[in-house]
Amino acid sequence: MATKNKTLRRNLIALSLIAPFTLTFLLVFAWPTYKVIQLSFTDAPLIGAGEWVGLDNYRDLLGDRLFWIALKNNGYFLLLTIIPTTAIALAIALAVNRLKGWVQALILAVFFLPYILPVSVVTLIWAWMLDFQFGILQPVIEFFVGERVAVFRDPYWVMPMIAVVTIWWTNGFNVLLFLAGLRNIPQELYEAAALDGATPRQKFLRVTWPLLWPVTALVLTLQLILQLKLFDQVYLLSQGGPFNTSQVLLLLVYREAFQQNDGGYASAVALVLFVIIMVVSILQFQLLRIRGKR
Amino acid sequence: MTTGVSLKNVRKSFGSVDVIHDVSIDIPKGDFAVFVGPSGCGKSTLLRMIAGLEDTSGGRIEIDGKDVTEEEPADRGVAMVFQNYALYPHLTVFDNMAFSLRLAGAKKDVIREKVAEAARILQLTDHLAKRPANLSGGQRQRVAIGRAIVRQPSVFLFDEPLSNLDAELRVQMRLELARLHRELGATMIYVTHDQVEAMTLANDIFVLRDGWVQQAGTPLTLYDDPDNRFVGGFIGSPAMNFFEAEVTGGGDGVMQARTRIGQHTFTARHTGAAPEGRTVTLGIRPEHIALAEDGLRAKVDMVEQLGGVSYLHVKLEDGSNVVVERHGLREALEGHTVGLTAEPDDILVFDPEGRRLR
Ligand SMILES: Nc1ncnc2c1ncn2[C@@H]1O[C@H](COP(=O)(O)OP(=O)(O)O)[C@@H](O)[C@H]1O
Ligand SMILES: [Mg+2]
């Protein structure tokens, strides 16, 4: 009897402890998600109820040329960002890790600074720097390609340049993750490797890289999720143009919902993106983990 | 006698702090040498300099007669066993031991053969496929040693390799290290702050303090004939007892000295000059103190009774502690007043600076 009471009390305490989170989660995540799923099977406008249309929205979506363009652009953007940003962050972290004391703190702060800027400031900075007439980077572009380029109005330049801006903006955080990972590798392992006859290259390939792999897997996965959610930079820099060459899924959702007032269809697109992100990130993380375990 | 490792006027400073001052020692080939000293005295630094993991600020390091002061760690023919093992956590026991051979580009069957041999010596054959995380502390330590063995170095360096093991395992590993030394015949340099490890393992002990070598010699030389008060107090457990005293007379190879506390006159073996009134310190080991009616007055405070051996903790007038070792003690002595005496040959005399007076 006494133990039963005790168990009950413990369970009540446990429940009361997780209640705030559970309620918040249900209210701001589970409920809206459920509504979006529901909405995607109707022809509802942005505000107000609509008629049940079954799978019509999804059928439309498969025939929507813009959807496929956006999907392809999202994929292109992943290619442009994920591996480069990971490689750059790792290189910077390796370099910063060799510095000591306040110099290290200073350099780290310099690399981290862009991350704390709001996206509007970031895009403004780059819009200035790349301005066709006055941008200080135009001479650089001119040097390499022989002429000035209005990069955000050029079908070939627009996605790579948005990728550059994005990497510049978000890279500091990845550097931080890699740096934490590097600091977790005991110095003694490098000393043991030095005694075992490892060159700096071999130390990196046989000690640093494998021991850093969990962090690398984390960075890759976080990047995958983050970059699939691309919206702000495109919206502010190119609005999906020119000729839809920077059209991406979230921009499509925004257009359908807020400009075309087609809440049902927008929900269907959003849901597809949600599923893509979930499946791809879980798949990638599992694959990377398995590779690390081998 | 060929020299295995030779240090000539070796110095080391970190910034403006001198950590090793002018150390010159010779370690014969095949020797088991132990650097012993309190924490922070520079033992690890000295060992790491021999390994090439720290630059030398001055002097020369020779291994097997070759100057290696400027050589890379891998080119010195040394292998090191770290205190925290420093095993590669992502590699199996086999791969940990094969690491250096692979880097050197050894053939597959050579690697397999050498690792198997090391695993046999260290009884690791059944664990070759495991990761370090799945091994016990003692097994990890053996893997670390195995990694050193496969390289067939001419010098093994150990930095407090047993300090992370429990007491029982430590005794067992000590015996294994001694056996390993016999089997391999390589020069071994072993760093520890534990004088028991030093006494039991070493052919030669080097006692370090604040970056200076205080004394070098066989374990029994250091025990019986310390050059200074520090070595006398550091080697031996329980530690040597010290009494402040004043010289009151002498001649014929002995001298008399009266203790400051208790006013008891001891007679010590001493051939040099001993001016009356001079302050000295008398050092007497616990096993050399006898109980007698007319000795230095002391009160038994506590007895550590181990059965065969007992340690009497007795207090002098001023409350200072002295340890006396007895064999086969069966009386209950707590609270009794006793007298402490010792034979002249068993009393060591030190000057106020701690130097031995002979
Ligand atoms: N990398 C370093 N930088 C500055 N001081 C150091 C460094 N390594 C060791 N020391 C100092 O050198 C002294 C000896 O250290 P160490 O050789 O590790 O002592 P031990 O191994 O005998 O305990 C200590 O006072 C320590 O603080
Ligand atoms: Mg040390």
Side-chain angles (χ1 to χ4, degrees):
Chain A
M1 191 59 210
T3 57
K4 208 172 167 188
N5 257 335
K6 211 166 150 189
T7 320
L8 184 69
R9 251 189 46 202
R10 275 174 49 164
N11 285 342
L12 280 177
I13 292 174
L15 268 178
S16 71
L17 287 175
I18 60 168
F21 171 76
T22 314
L23 287 178
T24 317
F25 177 80
L26 288 175
L27 196 69
V28 305
F29 185 77
W31 176 246
T33 308
Y34 167 71
K35 288 307 275 184
V36 167
I37 296 173
Q38 208 185 33
L39 217 55
S40 74
F41 294 106
T42 69
D43 64 356
L46 187 58
I47 296 166
E51 292 286 312
W52 178 266
V53 295
L55 289 171
D56 272 7
N57 283 330
Y58 292 94
R59 209 169 298 126
D60 287 354
L61 191 142
L62 290 179
D64 185 351
R65 201 180 58 88
L66 215 50
F67 169 78
W68 293 109
I69 290 175
L71 190 64
K72 190 201 77 185
N73 282 338
N74 270 110
Y76 182 39
F77 190 69
L78 289 186
L79 284 183
L80 288 173
T81 49
I82 294 189
I83 305 281
T85 198
T86 305
I88 292 169
L90 178 57
I92 292 173
L94 285 170
V96 169
N97 196 37
R98 296 174 138 245
L99 303 172
K100 295 213 165 52
W102 66 269
V103 181
Q104 188 185 53
L106 184 79
I107 301 288
L108 189 60
V110 168
F111 280 114
F112 194 70
L113 201 63
Y115 187 71
I116 63 176
L117 296 178
V119 64
S120 50
V121 175
V122 171
T123 50
L124 210 54
I125 291 173
W126 281 87
W128 277 338
M129 289 205 295
L130 290 165
D131 184 89
F132 185 67
Q133 301 224 354
F134 311 106
I136 54 162
L137 289 180
Q138 285 297 345
V140 181
I141 293 175
E142 208 172 358
F143 177 82
F144 281 107
V145 299
E147 57 178 0
R148 292 175 167 246
V149 183
V151 289
F152 298 120
R153 266 170 246 124
D154 184 301
Y156 297 103
W157 282 76
V158 64
M159 280 309 257
M161 278 328 280
I162 291 174
V164 167
V165 173
T166 305
I167 291 173
W168 180 84
W169 180 35
T170 58
N171 203 42
F173 187 68
N174 302 329
V175 172
L176 221 55
L177 286 177
F178 274 123
L179 206 58
L182 286 174
R183 286 189 184 160
N184 259 339
I185 302 176
Q187 199 53 38
E188 273 188 351
L189 291 186
Y190 294 105
E191 295 181 343
L195 279 158
D196 278 344
T199 60
R201 206 181 106 91
Q202 286 169 324
K203 280 184 203 168
F204 176 77
L205 289 177
R206 288 170 184 257
V207 179
T208 313
W209 179 249
L211 289 178
L212 212 53
W213 182 249
V215 178
T216 312
L218 181 71
V219 169
L220 286 171
T221 308
L222 289 179
Q223 283 302 310
L224 186 79
I225 296 170
L226 184 72
Q227 308 308 1
L228 272 174
K229 294 194 300 183
L230 172 66
F231 173 74
D232 319 14
Q233 304 95 296
V234 176
Y235 180 73
L236 291 167
L237 288 170
S238 69
Q239 295 82 38
F243 319 119
N244 289 323
T245 45
S246 61
Q247 185 66 257
V248 289
L249 285 176
L250 265 185
L251 202 63
L252 198 61
V253 173
Y254 171 78
R255 290 240 162 108
E256 291 297 335
F258 295 91
Q259 291 177 349
Q260 315 289 336
N261 197 21
D262 193 348
Y265 188 66
S267 297
V269 179
L271 212 64
V272 168
L273 180 62
F274 178 70
V275 169
I276 290 176
I277 290 179
M278 214 159 67
V279 169
V280 171
S281 58
I282 290 176
L283 241 158
Q284 185 194 354
F285 198 63
Q286 292 304 327
L287 277 177
L288 296 179
R289 259 198 16 204
I290 290 165
R291 223 212 82 174
K293 277 235 176 74
R294 178 190 46 83
Chain B
M1 176 190 91
T2 48
T3 312
V5 177
S6 165
L7 308 185
K8 294 194 163 73
N9 305 105
V10 165
R11 288 188 304 102
K12 174 74 187 175
S13 6
F14 289 110
S16 60
V17 185
D18 293 334
V19 172
I20 300 292
H21 313 265
D22 195 20
V23 166
S24 295
I25 59 182
D26 284 313
I27 296 167
K29 205 165 171 51
D31 195 23
F32 200 121
V34 173
F35 296 167
V36 69
S39 193
C41 69
K43 311 177 292 287
S44 297
T45 305
L46 197 55
L47 197 73
R48 292 164 57 79
M49 287 162 76
I50 297 172
L53 297 174
E54 301 278 0
D55 300 331
T56 33
S57 309
R60 253 154 70 95
I61 298 175
E62 290 176 9
I63 293 176
D64 290 341
K66 184 166 151 263
D67 184 351
V68 297
T69 318
E70 302 297 327
E71 296 268 12
E72 291 294 317
D75 304 330
R76 296 184 175 207
V78 303
M80 183 153 166
V81 176
F82 294 83
Q83 180 172 348
N84 299 317
Y85 319 129
L87 300 178
Y88 308 115
H90 56 295
L91 300 180
T92 61
V93 169
F94 183 95
D95 290 336
N96 261 282
M97 295 207 266
F99 195 82
S100 61
L101 298 173
R102 294 221 167 100
L103 293 183
K107 289 222 169 56
K108 271 214 166 65
D109 45 337
V110 173
I111 294 176
R112 211 173 305 125
E113 196 177 305
K114 283 191 174 177
V115 172
E117 170 68 5
R120 186 191 59 74
I121 296 176
L122 296 162
Q123 291 138 37
L124 285 169
T125 310
D126 296 339
H127 307 290
L128 285 175
K130 291 186 188 166
R131 298 273 176 96
N134 301 326
L135 298 176
S136 70
Q139 288 166 340
R140 282 181 213 175
Q141 189 61 76
R142 288 209 290 270
V143 177
I145 295 171
R147 199 169 57 179
I149 289 179
V150 295
R151 297 184 45 209
Q152 297 178 316
S154 67
V155 181
F156 283 85
L157 306 174
F158 298 93
D159 192 353
E160 312 226 13
L162 307 187
S163 54
N164 286 340
L165 305 180
D166 61 46
E168 198 179 335
L169 209 50
R170 212 148 50 207
V171 174
Q172 191 188 327
M173 283 302 292
R174 226 154 63 198
L175 295 173
E176 283 198 34
L177 281 174
R179 177 177 61 87
L180 203 63
H181 180 238
R182 265 199 323 275
E183 254 177 63
L184 301 175
T187 312
M188 295 192 174
I189 305 181
Y190 186 102
V191 158
T192 179
H193 65 272
D194 180 355
Q195 55 94 22
V196 176
E197 273 173 31
M199 292 293 284
T200 50
L201 283 171
N203 302 129
D204 289 300
I205 297 181
F206 299 85
V207 181
L208 267 82
R209 181 195 193 188
D210 296 340
W212 299 94
V213 175
Q214 295 281 310
Q215 190 175 357
T218 64
L220 287 183
T221 308
L222 297 195
Y223 189 84
D224 292 336
D225 198 13
D227 280 346
N228 55 52
R229 181 177 163 162
F230 176 79
V231 174
F234 192 80
I235 301 289
S237 169
M240 183 181 275
N241 300 295
F242 294 104
F243 304 90
E244 297 298 311
E246 187 177 298
V247 178
T248 54
D252 289 337
V254 295
M255 78 171 203
Q256 280 82 40
R258 191 173 60 229
T259 58
R260 187 141 295 156
I261 294 143
Q263 305 293 318
H264 176 76
T265 304
F266 283 103
T267 302
R269 187 72 59 207
H270 181 71
T271 46
E276 261 181 54
R278 179 173 188 184
T279 303
V280 293
T281 303
L282 305 179
I284 315 178
R285 292 208 178 271
E287 70 269 27
H288 292 144
I289 297 184
L291 301 184
E293 285 297 306
D294 58 347
L296 173 62
R297 310 306 297 165
K299 193 170 162 195
V300 181
D301 184 43
M302 195 189 82
V303 179
E304 276 183 291
Q305 182 56 272
L306 302 180
V309 180
S310 341
Y311 297 108
L312 276 58
H313 295 261
V314 306
K315 289 216 180 305
L316 303 185
E317 279 173 6
D318 71 332
S320 56
N321 202 40
V322 173
V323 180
V324 179
E325 182 179 321
R326 302 272 78 197
H327 287 263
L329 179 79
R330 285 297 174 265
E331 312 148 61
L333 282 179
E334 270 103 342
H336 286 240
T337 301
V338 294
L340 313 178
T341 62
E343 293 297 317
D345 282 334
D346 295 332
I347 301 178
L348 309 180
V349 185
F350 303 97
D351 74 6
E353 279 74 51
R355 282 183 297 252
R356 175 83 181 279
L357 301 173
R358 289 191 166 92

